[in-house]
Amino acid sequence: APDQPPAPAAIASQSGGCGVVGGRMTDTRRRVKVYTLNEDRQWDDRGTGHVSSSYVERLKGMSLLVRAESDGSLLLESKINPNTAYQKQQDTLIVWSEAENYDLALSFQEKAGCDEIWEKICQVQGKDPSVDITQDLVDESEEERFDDMSSPGLELPSCELSRLEEIAELVASSLPSPLRREKLALALENEGYIKKLLEIFHVCEDLENIEGLHHLYEIIKGIFLLNRTALFEVMFSEDCIMDVIGCLEYDPSLSQSRKHREFLTKTAKFKEVIPISDPELKQKIHQTYRVQYIQDMVLPTPSVFEENMLSTLHSFIFFNKVEIVGMLQEDEKFLTDLFAQLTDEATDEEKRQELVNFLKEFCAFSQTLQPQNRDAFFKTLSNMGILPALEVILGMDDAQVRSAATDIFSYLVEYNPSMVREFVMQEAQQNDDDILLINLIIEHMICDTDPELGGAVLLMGLLRTLVDPENMLATANKTEKTEFLGFFYKHCMHVLTAPLLANTTEDKPSKDDFQTAQLLALILELLTFCVEHHTYHIKNYIINKDILRRVLVLMASKHAFLALCALRFKRKIIGLKDEFYNRYIMKSFLFEPVVKAFLNNGSRYNLMNSAIIEMFEFIRVEDIKSLTAHVIENYWKALEDVDYVQTFKGLKLRFEQQRERQDNPKLDSMRSILRNHRYRRDARTLEDEEEMWFNTDEDDMEDGEAVVPPSDKTKNDEDIMDPISKFMERKKLKESEEKEVILKTNLSGRQSPSFKLSFSSGTKSNLTSQSSASNLPGSPGSPGSPGSPGSPGSVSKSTSQMAAITTKGGLVGLVDYPDDDEEDDEDEDKEETLPLSKKAKLESS
């Protein structure tokens, strides 16, 4: 049987009489709701229809059929299996399991219809319709089966004070066996036993018979664990529920009894903020509150083994809440009065607080509704004007009222953010920015007095939902994203960034206490989200308002989490690889705060250190040329001594390669082709080639060698896609002898990273500015060796333009040529005399 069988469907209050289903008349006796149990052990409403039983040829047996009353479609088709355990509960429910994890329930509008279908089920299974369950739920042992055959019913001891201990033992012994629990429950129902027990409870209290009261506690607790709705209806009735709570005050494990009844009758007051005229609704509210109190406060926390034994109690509360919401929602006068008083300026503060708390609880109850019913619920509230009412409430001074209003707002945003967005955009056409609903929310986030900013965190999450393009709608006529983001950046963004701008007017934060840092971190989190999702709106705002420079002031905060938030904001911007952002960063020298923070962090290996290095590593790996040049030209002196990672030396190498390509435009064109993803088989090929290009082991080639890539005019697409290592093996043209030159750099004096380029001497190119050779300070020279046209320290005339790279910007050059002028002539002579295969001649005839 399912853990949480539903209560009778609250459909009796709907229009009675006959309905038309599939073109034929049906009466209300057969009107049912179909429920299925979901994975969370909650009942899902599958729709309302009319039930019948008939033989289905396809299923080869009598079956239950439910057709929807709306369109006649088939909601349920279930064969009545002879071995399935069907249960009848509360006179209007039939519950059964179709499979191991698929439970079904039919909730009838009328008892007569339930009885009629129950008889059909019992007829198929050969059972007496007077039973409430057609099969044993759990297979019992042979001994239990023998006992059950010998004693078909369970006989309860007479309900007397002297026999309470015997009754308590009987209840405790019956709980482990499902069949005995069933028999005990039937006995308790049939003999009116519970009311007799509650009469004895009064006697025990009058006599102060503590032992008897302890037995009654065990008995009543055991009855709860029987998990029977019929018993709950007796215990939770108006004349019994307080006595049941009284029995549960005398827990034997406690030295003193609890005062639950005193709390419910004297402390807990029922406040009828708007008079409720329906007595049934009022009684249902009282009952639900008390049963919820029993579940949460009175009953001890169930053990792992007992948790499922209280599932019917959960269901009882659940369906009570569904009925309460439905009855209130249908009472138009009640809701009209509620919203009229909420927005009336004459309403006193205490009364408004009560109204807001009621509305909050009303919205909380709505979470128990099925999706289609929840849609109707929030549409009703929207039509009643809940958003304008919230605006009034959020403008009040009472913090508790504002907190309740925030909770209501969260229900609305989670349910339908588009509804909220539409309201605030319409509102902007009539009101000033200061009183817009969304700006009130931002102000409450900024002004949260909680040291942990619990409310601010909630509000930031709601704002994030509202500005998230992923949940914005697009129709043929308009795009919500364009409209709302245009509105948000015009009317609201300045309110959100006000604390950030106010706190970053100097070189360091003007206020750096913990609460301010937490608030600024929340604002930065939202701004970072905007950078990722809002493209040009946030780009214009950041550049026009110089936001990034102000954010980076927070890198000087004493709170590491805030400095990291500022860094993450910049990292998100750099990650976009947008040249508009890059030019803004370079123009304002916005790497300076990051480099300062890096140097101030010293040698500490922490999150700040790793995050900054990762940012520079991203620039290197992605080869963002403008930022690479900017960093090296302006901050190399500060970073050149960092040798525990190769990031900064790699950046310097990238920079030198860029300068080389500027002087060798044809070579740059060749490399761009090699790196073009359109010519790649896959990303791995690119990675392999780059590894070979930049990281070939020095042992594979002689010092001073470099391979210069062939001109793109001489290679077809297939050749370009081959690994670089095969370039040296191919001879496609008449003059295909390959020349090799190695270009090594020494960025810090501690290591000599190298890269090599391959170029075929027979290609039709004119790369006259390419360096032909270099010799690193301190490295062994090999004058006259193959591929090395000059002695150490010399350079050919064709490579003299390379010197521009080594001096521009005041940077340390790749190669130092102390006697450059003196040896030019010697190099020319050598070029004339060396054979073609021994030269690195970069111009073609």
Side-chain angles (χ1 to χ4, degrees), residues 267-299:
T267 307
K269 300 294 182 183
F270 176 62
K271 293 184 178 180
E272 209 170 345
V273 290
I274 302 291
I276 297 174
S277 55
D278 186 347
E280 183 185 352
L281 172 59
K282 193 180 294 187
Q283 190 275 330
K284 187 72 70 176
I285 292 171
H286 283 300
Q287 183 189 59
T288 305
Y289 175 77
R290 290 166 179 169
V291 176
Q292 186 90 56
Y293 182 83
I294 290 173
Q295 182 190 46
D296 296 339
M297 304 299 297
V298 180
L299 285 175

CSV table of all heavy atoms in Angstrom, one decimal, residues 267-299:
chain,number,residue,atom,x,y,z
A,267,THR,N,-1.7,30.4,25.1
A,267,THR,CA,-0.6,31.1,24.4
A,267,THR,C,-0.9,31.3,22.9
A,267,THR,O,-0.9,32.5,22.4
A,267,THR,CB,0.7,30.4,24.5
A,267,THR,OG1,1.0,30.2,25.9
A,267,THR,CG2,1.9,31.3,24.0
A,268,ALA,N,-1.2,30.2,22.2
A,268,ALA,CA,-1.5,30.3,20.8
A,268,ALA,C,-2.9,30.9,20.6
A,268,ALA,O,-3.9,30.3,21.0
A,268,ALA,CB,-1.4,28.9,20.2
A,269,LYS,N,-3.0,32.0,19.9
A,269,LYS,CA,-4.2,32.7,19.7
A,269,LYS,C,-4.6,32.6,18.2
A,269,LYS,O,-3.7,32.9,17.3
A,269,LYS,CB,-4.2,34.2,20.1
A,269,LYS,CG,-3.9,34.4,21.6
A,269,LYS,CD,-5.0,33.8,22.5
A,269,LYS,CE,-4.7,34.1,24.0
A,269,LYS,NZ,-5.7,33.5,24.8
A,270,PHE,N,-5.8,32.3,17.9
A,270,PHE,CA,-6.3,32.3,16.5
A,270,PHE,C,-6.7,33.7,16.2
A,270,PHE,O,-7.7,34.3,16.7
A,270,PHE,CB,-7.5,31.4,16.4
A,270,PHE,CG,-8.1,31.4,15.0
A,270,PHE,CD1,-7.3,31.0,13.9
A,270,PHE,CD2,-9.4,31.7,14.8
A,270,PHE,CE1,-7.9,31.0,12.6
A,270,PHE,CE2,-10.0,31.7,13.6
A,270,PHE,CZ,-9.2,31.4,12.5
A,271,LYS,N,-6.0,34.3,15.2
A,271,LYS,CA,-6.3,35.7,14.8
A,271,LYS,C,-7.0,35.7,13.5
A,271,LYS,O,-6.5,35.2,12.5
A,271,LYS,CB,-5.0,36.5,14.7
A,271,LYS,CG,-4.3,36.7,16.0
A,271,LYS,CD,-3.1,37.6,15.9
A,271,LYS,CE,-2.5,37.9,17.3
A,271,LYS,NZ,-1.2,38.7,17.2
A,272,GLU,N,-8.2,36.1,13.5
A,272,GLU,CA,-9.1,36.2,12.3
A,272,GLU,C,-8.9,37.6,11.7
A,272,GLU,O,-9.7,38.4,11.9
A,272,GLU,CB,-10.5,35.9,12.7
A,272,GLU,CG,-11.3,35.2,11.7
A,272,GLU,CD,-12.7,34.7,12.2
A,272,GLU,OE1,-12.8,34.7,13.4
A,272,GLU,OE2,-13.5,34.4,11.4
A,273,VAL,N,-7.9,37.7,10.9
A,273,VAL,CA,-7.6,39.1,10.4
A,273,VAL,C,-8.7,39.6,9.5
A,273,VAL,O,-9.0,40.8,9.5
A,273,VAL,CB,-6.2,39.1,9.6
A,273,VAL,CG1,-5.1,38.9,10.5
A,273,VAL,CG2,-6.2,38.0,8.5
A,274,ILE,N,-9.3,38.7,8.7
A,274,ILE,CA,-10.5,39.0,8.0
A,274,ILE,C,-11.5,38.0,8.4
A,274,ILE,O,-11.2,36.8,8.4
A,274,ILE,CB,-10.3,38.8,6.5
A,274,ILE,CG1,-9.1,39.7,6.0
A,274,ILE,CG2,-11.5,39.1,5.7
A,274,ILE,CD1,-9.5,41.2,6.0
A,275,PRO,N,-12.7,38.4,8.9
A,275,PRO,CA,-13.7,37.4,9.4
A,275,PRO,C,-14.0,36.3,8.4
A,275,PRO,O,-14.2,36.5,7.2
A,275,PRO,CB,-14.9,38.3,9.6
A,275,PRO,CG,-14.4,39.7,9.8
A,275,PRO,CD,-13.2,39.8,8.9
A,276,ILE,N,-14.0,35.1,8.9
A,276,ILE,CA,-14.3,33.9,8.1
A,276,ILE,C,-15.7,33.5,8.4
A,276,ILE,O,-16.0,33.1,9.6
A,276,ILE,CB,-13.3,32.8,8.4
A,276,ILE,CG1,-11.8,33.2,8.0
A,276,ILE,CG2,-13.6,31.5,7.6
A,276,ILE,CD1,-10.8,32.2,8.4
A,277,SER,N,-16.5,33.5,7.4
A,277,SER,CA,-17.9,33.3,7.7
A,277,SER,C,-18.2,31.8,7.6
A,277,SER,O,-19.2,31.3,8.2
A,277,SER,CB,-18.8,34.0,6.6
A,277,SER,OG,-18.4,33.7,5.3
A,278,ASP,N,-17.4,31.0,6.9
A,278,ASP,CA,-17.7,29.6,6.7
A,278,ASP,C,-17.2,28.8,7.9
A,278,ASP,O,-16.0,28.7,8.2
A,278,ASP,CB,-17.0,29.1,5.5
A,278,ASP,CG,-17.3,27.6,5.1
A,278,ASP,OD1,-17.9,26.9,6.0
A,278,ASP,OD2,-17.0,27.2,4.0
A,279,PRO,N,-18.2,28.2,8.7
A,279,PRO,CA,-17.8,27.5,9.9
A,279,PRO,C,-16.9,26.2,9.6
A,279,PRO,O,-16.0,25.9,10.4
A,279,PRO,CB,-19.1,27.1,10.6
A,279,PRO,CG,-20.1,27.2,9.5
A,279,PRO,CD,-19.6,28.2,8.6
A,280,GLU,N,-17.2,25.6,8.5
A,280,GLU,CA,-16.4,24.4,8.1
A,280,GLU,C,-15.0,24.8,7.9
A,280,GLU,O,-14.0,24.1,8.3
A,280,GLU,CB,-17.0,23.8,6.9
A,280,GLU,CG,-16.3,22.5,6.5
A,280,GLU,CD,-16.9,21.9,5.2
A,280,GLU,OE1,-17.9,22.4,4.6
A,280,GLU,OE2,-16.2,20.9,4.6
A,281,LEU,N,-14.8,25.9,7.2
A,281,LEU,CA,-13.4,26.4,6.9
A,281,LEU,C,-12.7,26.7,8.2
A,281,LEU,O,-11.5,26.4,8.4
A,281,LEU,CB,-13.5,27.6,6.0
A,281,LEU,CG,-12.1,28.3,5.8
A,281,LEU,CD1,-11.1,27.4,5.2
A,281,LEU,CD2,-12.3,29.5,4.9
A,282,LYS,N,-13.4,27.4,9.1
A,282,LYS,CA,-12.8,27.8,10.4
A,282,LYS,C,-12.4,26.5,11.2
A,282,LYS,O,-11.3,26.5,11.7
A,282,LYS,CB,-13.8,28.6,11.2
A,282,LYS,CG,-13.1,29.4,12.3
A,282,LYS,CD,-14.2,30.2,13.1
A,282,LYS,CE,-14.7,31.3,12.2
A,282,LYS,NZ,-15.6,32.2,13.0
A,283,GLN,N,-13.2,25.5,11.2
A,283,GLN,CA,-12.9,24.3,12.0
A,283,GLN,C,-11.7,23.6,11.3
A,283,GLN,O,-10.9,23.0,12.0
A,283,GLN,CB,-14.2,23.4,12.0
A,283,GLN,CG,-14.1,22.2,12.9
A,283,GLN,CD,-13.4,21.0,12.2
A,283,GLN,OE1,-13.5,20.8,11.0
A,283,GLN,NE2,-12.7,20.2,13.0
A,284,LYS,N,-11.7,23.6,10.0
A,284,LYS,CA,-10.6,22.9,9.3
A,284,LYS,C,-9.2,23.6,9.6
A,284,LYS,O,-8.2,23.0,9.7
A,284,LYS,CB,-10.8,23.0,7.8
A,284,LYS,CG,-9.9,22.2,6.9
A,284,LYS,CD,-10.1,20.7,7.1
A,284,LYS,CE,-11.3,20.2,6.4
A,284,LYS,NZ,-11.5,18.7,6.5
A,285,ILE,N,-9.2,24.9,9.7
A,285,ILE,CA,-8.0,25.7,10.0
A,285,ILE,C,-7.6,25.3,11.4
A,285,ILE,O,-6.4,25.1,11.7
A,285,ILE,CB,-8.3,27.2,9.9
A,285,ILE,CG1,-8.5,27.6,8.4
A,285,ILE,CG2,-7.1,28.0,10.5
A,285,ILE,CD1,-8.9,29.0,8.2
A,286,HIS,N,-8.5,25.3,12.4
A,286,HIS,CA,-8.1,24.9,13.8
A,286,HIS,C,-7.5,23.5,13.8
A,286,HIS,O,-6.5,23.3,14.4
A,286,HIS,CB,-9.4,25.0,14.7
A,286,HIS,CG,-9.8,26.4,15.1
A,286,HIS,ND1,-8.9,27.2,15.8
A,286,HIS,CD2,-10.9,27.1,14.9
A,286,HIS,CE1,-9.6,28.4,16.0
A,286,HIS,NE2,-10.8,28.3,15.4
A,287,GLN,N,-8.2,22.6,13.1
A,287,GLN,CA,-7.8,21.2,13.1
A,287,GLN,C,-6.4,21.1,12.6
A,287,GLN,O,-5.5,20.4,13.1
A,287,GLN,CB,-8.8,20.3,12.4
A,287,GLN,CG,-8.5,18.9,12.4
A,287,GLN,CD,-9.3,18.1,11.4
A,287,GLN,OE1,-9.3,18.3,10.2
A,287,GLN,NE2,-10.1,17.1,12.0
A,288,THR,N,-6.2,21.7,11.4
A,288,THR,CA,-4.9,21.6,10.8
A,288,THR,C,-3.7,22.1,11.6
A,288,THR,O,-2.7,21.5,11.7
A,288,THR,CB,-4.9,22.4,9.4
A,288,THR,OG1,-6.0,21.9,8.6
A,288,THR,CG2,-3.6,22.2,8.6
A,289,TYR,N,-4.0,23.3,12.3
A,289,TYR,CA,-3.0,23.8,13.2
A,289,TYR,C,-2.6,22.9,14.3
A,289,TYR,O,-1.4,22.6,14.6
A,289,TYR,CB,-3.4,25.2,13.7
A,289,TYR,CG,-2.5,25.8,14.7
A,289,TYR,CD1,-1.3,26.4,14.3
A,289,TYR,CD2,-2.7,25.6,16.1
A,289,TYR,CE1,-0.4,26.9,15.2
A,289,TYR,CE2,-1.8,26.2,17.0
A,289,TYR,CZ,-0.7,26.8,16.6
A,289,TYR,OH,0.2,27.3,17.5
A,290,ARG,N,-3.6,22.3,14.9
A,290,ARG,CA,-3.4,21.4,16.0
A,290,ARG,C,-2.7,20.1,15.6
A,290,ARG,O,-1.8,19.6,16.3
A,290,ARG,CB,-4.7,21.1,16.7
A,290,ARG,CG,-5.3,22.3,17.5
A,290,ARG,CD,-6.7,22.1,17.9
A,290,ARG,NE,-7.3,23.2,18.6
A,290,ARG,CZ,-8.5,23.4,18.9
A,290,ARG,NH1,-9.4,22.5,18.4
A,290,ARG,NH2,-8.9,24.5,19.5
A,291,VAL,N,-3.1,19.6,14.5
A,291,VAL,CA,-2.5,18.3,14.0
A,291,VAL,C,-1.0,18.6,13.6
A,291,VAL,O,-0.1,17.8,13.9
A,291,VAL,CB,-3.3,17.7,12.8
A,291,VAL,CG1,-2.5,16.5,12.2
A,291,VAL,CG2,-4.7,17.4,13.2
A,292,GLN,N,-0.8,19.8,13.0
A,292,GLN,CA,0.6,20.1,12.6
A,292,GLN,C,1.4,20.3,13.9
A,292,GLN,O,2.6,19.9,14.0
A,292,GLN,CB,0.6,21.5,11.9
A,292,GLN,CG,2.0,21.9,11.4
A,292,GLN,CD,2.3,21.4,10.0
A,292,GLN,OE1,1.5,21.6,9.1
A,292,GLN,NE2,3.3,20.6,9.8
A,293,TYR,N,0.8,20.8,15.0
A,293,TYR,CA,1.5,21.0,16.2
A,293,TYR,C,1.8,19.6,16.8
A,293,TYR,O,2.9,19.4,17.4
A,293,TYR,CB,0.6,21.8,17.2
A,293,TYR,CG,1.3,22.0,18.6
A,293,TYR,CD1,2.2,23.1,18.7
A,293,TYR,CD2,1.0,21.2,19.7
A,293,TYR,CE1,2.8,23.3,20.0
A,293,TYR,CE2,1.6,21.4,20.9
A,293,TYR,CZ,2.5,22.5,21.0
A,293,TYR,OH,3.1,22.7,22.3
A,294,ILE,N,0.9,18.6,16.7
A,294,ILE,CA,1.1,17.3,17.2
A,294,ILE,C,2.3,16.7,16.4
A,294,ILE,O,3.2,16.1,17.1
A,294,ILE,CB,-0.1,16.4,17.0
A,294,ILE,CG1,-1.2,16.8,18.0
A,294,ILE,CG2,0.2,14.9,17.2
A,294,ILE,CD1,-2.5,16.1,17.8
A,295,GLN,N,2.3,16.8,15.1
A,295,GLN,CA,3.4,16.2,14.3
A,295,GLN,C,4.7,16.9,14.7
A,295,GLN,O,5.8,16.2,14.8
A,295,GLN,CB,3.1,16.5,12.9
A,295,GLN,CG,4.1,15.8,11.9
A,295,GLN,CD,3.9,16.3,10.5
A,295,GLN,OE1,3.7,17.4,10.2
A,295,GLN,NE2,4.0,15.3,9.6
A,296,ASP,N,4.8,18.2,14.8
A,296,ASP,CA,6.1,18.9,15.0
A,296,ASP,C,6.6,18.9,16.4
A,296,ASP,O,7.8,18.9,16.7
A,296,ASP,CB,6.0,20.3,14.4
A,296,ASP,CG,5.7,20.4,12.9
A,296,ASP,OD1,6.0,19.3,12.3
A,296,ASP,OD2,5.2,21.4,12.5
A,297,MET,N,5.6,19.0,17.4
A,297,MET,CA,6.0,19.3,18.7
A,297,MET,C,5.7,18.2,19.7
A,297,MET,O,6.5,18.0,20.7
A,297,MET,CB,5.4,20.6,19.2
A,297,MET,CG,5.6,21.8,18.3
A,297,MET,SD,7.4,22.2,18.2
A,297,MET,CE,7.7,22.6,19.9
A,298,VAL,N,4.6,17.5,19.5
A,298,VAL,CA,4.1,16.6,20.6
A,298,VAL,C,4.7,15.2,20.4
A,298,VAL,O,5.3,14.6,21.3
A,298,VAL,CB,2.6,16.5,20.6
A,298,VAL,CG1,2.1,15.6,21.6
A,298,VAL,CG2,2.0,17.9,20.8
A,299,LEU,N,4.6,14.7,19.2
A,299,LEU,CA,5.1,13.3,19.0
A,299,LEU,C,6.6,13.3,19.0
A,299,LEU,O,7.2,14.3,18.4
A,299,LEU,CB,4.6,12.8,17.6
A,299,LEU,CG,3.1,12.3,17.6
A,299,LEU,CD1,2.8,11.9,16.1
A,299,LEU,CD2,2.9,11.2,18.5
